[in-house]
């Protein structure tokens, strides 16, 4: 109705100068003023409704974004649980794969609680890897010592045989005399 009212107003304003009757001109001016007022009210109401619709659409968009973000955070927390389980079961290949996913995801989401949970899991992972490395080094050292001891026994056995062979050779030489 507002566009139609505005169009009638313009039609009337164009026709007003054609009349030389001041009561008619006054009446037209009153009608135009009334139309102006109604059109202004209509326009203000329309602008208010459009503004409310934009605000509502923006709120919906933000809520949708927040819901998506919350879902991504929940999914990341689930991945942290899977990471912890992989650590507990010593599935190091799975740990590495999940850690690569989470490294990027946690930074992207920038959530304090998520970051704290992830840092705790990484600390657990690093501790487990450190213990595994320590155990590997201890096993390597034990194997080195065992090999060294075996080599020492071989050398001692070879020396003993050599001494026995030398003693046998000397006995044979003495027995020939």
């Amino acid at each position: 109705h507002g566009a139609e009212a505005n169009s009638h107003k313009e039609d009337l304003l164009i026709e007003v100068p054609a009349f030389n009757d001041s009561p008619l001109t006054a009446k037209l001016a009153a009608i135009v003023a009334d139309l102006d007022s109604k059109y202004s009210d209509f326009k203000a109401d329309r602008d208010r409704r459009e503004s409310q619709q934009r605000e509502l659409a923006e709120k919906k968009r933000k809520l949708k974004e927040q819901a998506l973000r919350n879902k991504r955070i929940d999914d990341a927390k689930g991945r942290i649980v899977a990471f912890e389980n992989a650590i507990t079961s010593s599935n190091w290949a799975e740990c590495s794969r999940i850690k690569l996913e989470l490294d990027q995801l946690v930074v992207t989401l920038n959530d304090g609680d998520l970051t704290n949970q992830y840092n705790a899991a990484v600390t657990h992972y690093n501790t487990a890897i450190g213990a595994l490395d320590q155990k590997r080094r201890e096993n390597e050292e034990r194997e080195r010592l065992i090999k060294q001891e075996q080599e020492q026994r071989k050398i001692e056995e070879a020396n003993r045989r050599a001494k026995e062979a030398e003693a046998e050779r000397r006995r044979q030489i003495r027995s020939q005399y």
Side-chain angles (χ1 to χ4, degrees):
H1 291 2
E4 188 178 313
N6 196 32
S7 174
H8 288 303
K9 175 183 135 184
E10 289 172 2
D11 288 346
L12 290 173
L13 288 176
I14 291 169
E15 293 177 18
V16 169
F19 297 104
N20 287 326
D21 186 352
S22 89
L24 182 60
T25 303
K27 189 168 186 161
L28 279 175
I31 291 171
V32 168
D34 185 45
L35 283 174
D36 259 350
S37 172
K38 287 180 180 173
Y39 180 68
S40 292
D41 291 347
F42 166 79
K43 188 175 176 188
D45 188 47
R46 184 191 65 198
D47 291 347
R48 183 184 48 76
R49 278 195 315 268
E50 287 175 355
S51 176
Q52 287 174 340
Q53 287 174 345
R54 282 191 302 273
E55 288 173 8
L56 182 61
E58 182 65 17
K59 282 181 185 178
K60 284 181 181 178
R61 186 188 65 76
K62 284 183 179 180
L63 286 173
K64 191 174 182 179
E65 283 179 3
Q66 187 61 42
L68 180 61
R69 176 179 163 71
N70 289 342
K71 183 183 180 324
R72 290 182 71 203
I73 289 171
D74 289 343
D75 290 346
K77 287 180 179 179
R79 298 301 297 151
I80 290 172
V81 169
F83 183 50
E84 288 281 357
N85 291 339
I87 295 166
T88 302
S89 64
S90 300
N91 186 346
W92 305 117
E94 183 73 356
C95 286
S96 295
R97 186 183 66 71
I98 294 172
K99 186 175 181 306
L100 284 175
E101 290 174 14
L102 286 172
D103 283 343
Q104 181 63 36
L105 188 59
V106 170
V107 169
T108 302
L109 291 172
N110 193 25
D111 179 75
D113 185 43
L114 178 68
T115 300
N116 290 339
Q117 285 182 2
Y118 181 59
N119 287 341
V122 168
T123 298
H124 181 204
Y125 172 75
N126 290 337
T127 301
I129 291 294
L132 185 66
D133 284 345
Q134 180 63 28
K135 191 173 188 177
R136 181 187 49 79
R137 283 192 298 273
E138 289 171 359
N139 286 341
E140 287 173 354
E141 180 63 16
R142 188 174 21 262
E143 288 175 14
R144 186 187 68 75
L145 290 174
I146 288 170
K147 283 181 182 178
Q148 187 179 10
E149 188 176 305
Q150 288 172 344
E151 288 296 318
Q152 186 64 33
R153 276 194 233 131
K154 283 181 184 177
I155 292 169
E156 289 173 359
E157 181 65 23
N159 286 340
R160 185 186 60 75
R161 281 192 211 129
K163 285 180 183 178
E164 287 176 0
E166 181 63 25
E168 182 62 30
R169 188 180 67 80
R170 286 183 185 174
R171 262 190 305 242
Q172 286 177 359
I173 291 175
R174 269 185 261 162
S175 68
Q176 288 176 356
Y177 288 118

